[in-house]
Amino acid sequence: RNLRDRARPRELPDGFWLGSATASYQIEGAVDADGRTPSIWDRFCRVPGAIAHGDTGDVACDHYRRVPTDVALMHELGLDSYRFSVAWPRVRPDGGAVNQAGLDFYRRLVDELLDHGIHPWVTLYHWDLPQALEDAGGWLNRDTAHRFVDYALATYDAIGDRVPVWTTLNEPWCSAFLGYTSGEHAPGRQEGAAGLVAAHHLMLAHGQATEALRATGTSSQLGVTLNFTVADPADPDSAADVDAARRIDGLHNRLFLEPLLRGAYPSDVLADTEALTFGGRGWQEVIREGDLVAIHQEVDVLGVNYYQGEAVTGTPTGDGGGPHPGPGGRPVFSAFPGCESISTVDRGLPTTDMGWTVQPEGLTRLLVRLQQYGLPLHVTENGAAYDDDVVEGRVHDRERTAYLEAHLGAVLDAVDAGADVRGFFYWSLLDNFEWAHGYRRRFGMVHVDYATQVRTPKDSALRYAEIARSRKL
Ligand code: GBH
């Protein structure tokens, strides 16, 4: 776009969805209401040092009891779509029998959204595995994939026909590698190649559930959301850095993209991880005949979560790649098995409160690259944490507003370059429980005062509402 074009407002494509996203454990609270049983996050929050300041999701944004006012707020902000996740331990507590009261909550939420003309977008798994299933081995147990199918079908039976888009998993990379390798997320296991085993079983869960949902004859779209990194070599002339970027891209992005969308693991990732063992055997022994066919289901939409780009180096930096203190103080390990000597390099770009690099152009490149898989794309998460204060009823979050405008612009650049992007969900509607970082990291476009549960739309939300109204950026 030349300088003259840049001065002009840009139109959103026809039919482009503009919404926001949340996840069950991060906002709902009400952890023992109506038959819900503990998830791995309820348990992990009690592990000393796991979560900053010892925060838990017990109350969170109390969304469970505030659906009508929260949906009214979305409507006031002009959002046309809302991405939320369903809590497995509400629907099938302990992974077992169906709990009607849990399903009724999501039925009421969907009613409320549709009454306000807001398209619901469901995520079935945003990390809150029933603790009882973790006790049986969690995602290291192949049987968890079968339990996921039962849970998906029960949820679909209750609200299926009224929800136009169903996605299975949110960010299986996080579930697998932060949950079973680094230990930063629940269940907090730190077992090296176990993350690869978990990744395989998560993808199996996606495939089997997608096949079962498809077999209902559904007219809804089916898909999955992945989180991506855009990893560039710190020094493009260094063979070690180029190789480091390939390996990080392999484990973070292609490990999931290729089996899910093309039915094969990337051969370089298989070669890199061949010697890694789990339970005394090569991890790749968990891949059974027929699994890749089961994983590779037809999907209708790919959800893309993007927050940051990074520059990586393969030249050892001398910190030994060992564990370092996590957000709550408990040590966490590298999330990339076999890549412990790879590190990120500070390029002096601006960062958010998470320390993540602000790199909107990475989102354009990512979307254009993902177009090769031939699917409609939807940005299912993008957003930034900054510390905000309410002053006289206003929150002047200039940095978040700039982040939002730059990344929406980056999406429109990708559309101009031929990417088929159908919508954008800002992460997140509300400030919420930011996993191991607890409540001190605020991603919301709406401020939450946790003492009173008062919601205050930040300036970024007002700007977003204006974009939604005018359909112009
Ligand atoms: C999303 O995860 C989640 O879906 C959402 O629930 C969460 O609240 C939101 O983002 C904000 O965090 O791990 O040090 O290698 C994004 C998680 C962020 C994981 C970037 C990988 C790379 C840095 N991803 N992270 S590191």
Side-chain angles (χ1 to χ4, degrees):
R1 307 185 77 235
N2 63 36
L3 278 178
R4 172 132 41 97
D5 282 348
R6 273 182 203 279
R8 252 183 241 144
R10 306 173 73 178
E11 306 250 345
L12 300 183
D14 283 342
F16 191 89
W17 285 11
L18 210 56
S20 69
T22 62
S24 46
Y25 190 70
Q26 294 182 272
I27 64 164
E28 286 178 358
V31 290
D32 10 77
D34 302 329
R36 182 189 180 280
T37 54
S39 75
I40 54 175
W41 276 93
D42 298 277
R43 174 71 60 88
F44 188 59
C45 286
R46 269 79 197 172
V47 173
I51 314 290
H53 323 291
D55 289 346
T56 76
D58 287 3
V59 178
C61 306
D62 195 33
H63 173 72
Y64 192 79
R65 301 199 167 84
R66 290 167 193 268
V67 160
T69 44
D70 283 344
V71 173
L73 178 58
M74 294 175 213
H75 180 68
E76 262 166 52
L77 294 176
L79 308 186
D80 62 22
S81 48
Y82 175 56
R83 172 179 180 258
F84 64 95
S85 80
V86 174
W88 189 344
R90 289 195 196 283
V91 170
R92 283 184 178 267
D94 296 332
V98 173
N99 173 32
Q100 194 55 47
L103 285 169
D104 286 346
F105 168 70
Y106 296 104
R107 213 195 297 269
R108 290 196 302 273
L109 171 59
V110 169
D111 286 344
E112 205 71 51
L113 291 167
L114 295 175
D115 284 350
H116 286 84
I118 298 171
H119 302 294
W121 171 304
V122 161
T123 301
L124 281 164
Y125 186 68
H126 201 128
W127 310 351
D128 40 3
L129 184 71
Q131 178 63 38
L133 293 182
E134 175 56 30
D135 294 340
W139 289 111
L140 303 183
N141 179 354
R142 193 180 166 93
D143 192 51
T144 300
H146 307 310
R147 301 285 75 78
F148 181 73
V149 177
D150 299 340
Y151 153 62
L153 285 174
T155 311
Y156 185 83
D157 268 354
I159 52 173
D161 48 332
R162 295 182 306 139
V163 174
V165 189
W166 284 77
T167 49
T168 51
L169 311 173
N170 174 68
E171 305 191 343
W173 182 87
C174 292
S175 305
F177 294 105
L178 301 181
Y180 293 86
T181 296
S182 86
E184 180 178 333
H185 281 187
R189 294 172 68 166
Q190 303 179 313
E191 299 173 28
L196 291 156
V197 174
H200 184 71
H201 292 148
L202 281 153
M203 287 193 274
L204 206 55
H206 158 84
Q208 293 177 343
T210 302
E211 189 178 17
L213 291 173
R214 191 73 77 190
T216 65
T218 183
S219 58
S220 302
Q221 295 194 350
L222 305 179
V224 63
T225 281
L226 302 177
N227 62 311
F228 296 96
T229 190
V230 172
D232 292 319
D235 173 2
D237 296 324
S238 150
D241 293 3
V242 170
D243 198 56
R246 175 191 63 76
R247 290 180 70 134
I248 297 299
D249 179 63
L251 279 171
H252 208 124
N253 304 332
R254 290 180 292 114
L255 178 70
F256 296 93
L257 280 168
E258 295 291 313
L260 289 166
L261 305 180
R262 288 187 172 142
Y265 276 106
S267 52
D268 62 319
V269 177
L270 286 182
D272 290 341
T273 62
E274 195 171 2
L276 300 178
T277 58
F278 170 70
R281 300 157 71 174
W283 83 268
Q284 292 173 19
E285 286 183 36
V286 305
I287 307 170
R288 294 193 196 161
E289 176 103 36
D291 280 1
L292 283 148
V293 175
I295 287 170
H296 179 210
Q297 296 295 317
E298 186 188 341
V299 296
D300 307 305
V301 60
L302 175 63
V304 179
N305 291 0
Y306 174 83
Y307 288 88
Q308 63 165 358
E310 58 189 334
V312 297
T313 179
T315 309
T317 52
D319 79 356
H324 58 275
R330 178 180 181 262
V332 298
F333 289 78
S334 163
F336 296 93
C339 295
E340 290 76 10
S341 63
I342 295 176
S343 50
T344 56
V345 170
D346 185 0
R347 288 167 292 174
L349 294 173
T351 57
T352 68
D353 276 8
M354 296 294 280
W356 300 347
T357 302
V358 179
Q359 199 186 333
E361 134 318 295
L363 178 55
T364 308
R365 251 197 292 154
L366 174 65
L367 293 167
V368 169
R369 167 187 171 185
L370 291 175
Q371 204 49 60
Q372 68 176 293
Y373 294 94
L375 289 170
L377 306 172
H378 201 112
V379 176
T380 36
E381 285 181 30
N382 172 252
Y386 293 106
D387 198 7
D388 316 294
D389 286 325
V390 184
V391 180
E392 290 164 10
R394 295 286 301 267
V395 180
H396 299 302
D397 57 340
R398 291 220 330 271
E399 289 165 300
R400 183 176 295 96
T401 307
Y403 183 100
L404 169 63
E405 288 180 334
H407 285 79
L408 257 183
V411 172
L412 297 184
D413 287 346
V415 171
D416 289 347
D420 181 11
V421 191
R422 305 279 177 93
F424 181 92
F425 290 110
Y426 181 75
W427 183 272
S428 182
L429 176 70
L430 303 170
D431 290 336
N432 61 43
F433 176 73
E434 177 50 30
W435 307 114
H437 296 272
Y439 294 100
R440 299 286 173 89
R441 293 284 177 270
R442 294 180 174 272
F443 275 92
M445 62 167 73
V446 174
H447 182 276
V448 176
D449 177 337
Y450 294 106
T452 60
Q453 292 294 346
V454 167
R455 276 86 163 125
T456 307
K458 304 177 190 178
D459 286 355
S460 56
L462 305 180
R463 175 69 182 117
Y464 203 53
E466 180 182 295
I467 296 166
R469 197 166 39 244
S470 65
R471 311 268 320 156
K472 286 190 181 67
L473 178 64

